[in-house]
Amino acid sequence: MLNGYGLFGIFVVIVAILMLISVISDQADARWFASNGVSVRGEIVDVRAKWTNTMVPVGNGAMAPNSHRRYVATVRFTTTDGHVVTSETKPSGRRPGSPGDSVQVSYDPGDPSHLRLLR
């Protein structure tokens, strides 16, 4: 039978695995855009914060709420064949800029709404 510490250990392992999957997925996405994406200049037209609420362990099997702010940017750019696209970025912990800022965008030529901001 599991006690509070055993459950806490299982929870920590699950969180670590989910974080690792997230990092690997982000790296694969970055590699894909580096190899296949088309790079153009774009403009940030909106930035909004999204809050993600999670529960985190605080000891003795107790959990407490924790909020994380993630930013989503709406970006407008013109594809190499002249189509104007307005699309949102994936949520990021880093603020991507402010409305009106010029940014370098890499987009999927098969689906230009799938984009990534280049740093």
Side-chain angles (χ1 to χ4, degrees):
M1 179 153 199
L2 293 174
N3 61 20
Y5 292 111
L7 289 174
F8 175 76
I10 291 171
F11 178 77
V12 169
V13 168
I14 291 170
V15 168
I17 289 169
L18 291 174
M19 289 175 65
L20 180 62
I21 290 169
S22 176
V23 168
I24 291 169
S25 174
D26 191 51
Q27 288 175 347
D29 196 47
R31 281 193 303 274
W32 188 93
F33 275 103
S35 300
N36 304 301
V38 176
S39 182
V40 295
R41 296 300 294 171
E43 179 183 351
I44 294 176
V45 295
D46 188 36
V47 176
R48 59 190 165 77
K50 294 176 96 175
W51 290 92
T52 302
N53 298 311
T54 57
M55 298 298 285
V56 295
V58 292
N60 295 329
M63 304 291 279
N66 188 17
S67 295
H68 300 279
R69 181 172 38 201
R70 312 278 290 165
Y71 294 98
V72 175
T74 302
V75 181
R76 182 178 303 123
F77 62 95
T78 303
T79 63
T80 55
D81 60 357
H83 291 93
V84 176
V85 176
T86 303
S87 188
E88 289 187 344
T89 61
K90 286 184 175 180
S92 170
R94 188 180 344 173
R95 185 175 174 87
S98 299
D101 287 354
S102 178
V103 291
Q104 195 69 24
V105 175
S106 181
Y107 69 88
D108 178 347
D111 178 8
S113 67
H114 184 214
L115 64 94
R116 184 177 183 95
L117 295 184
L118 301 177
R119 303 274 173 208

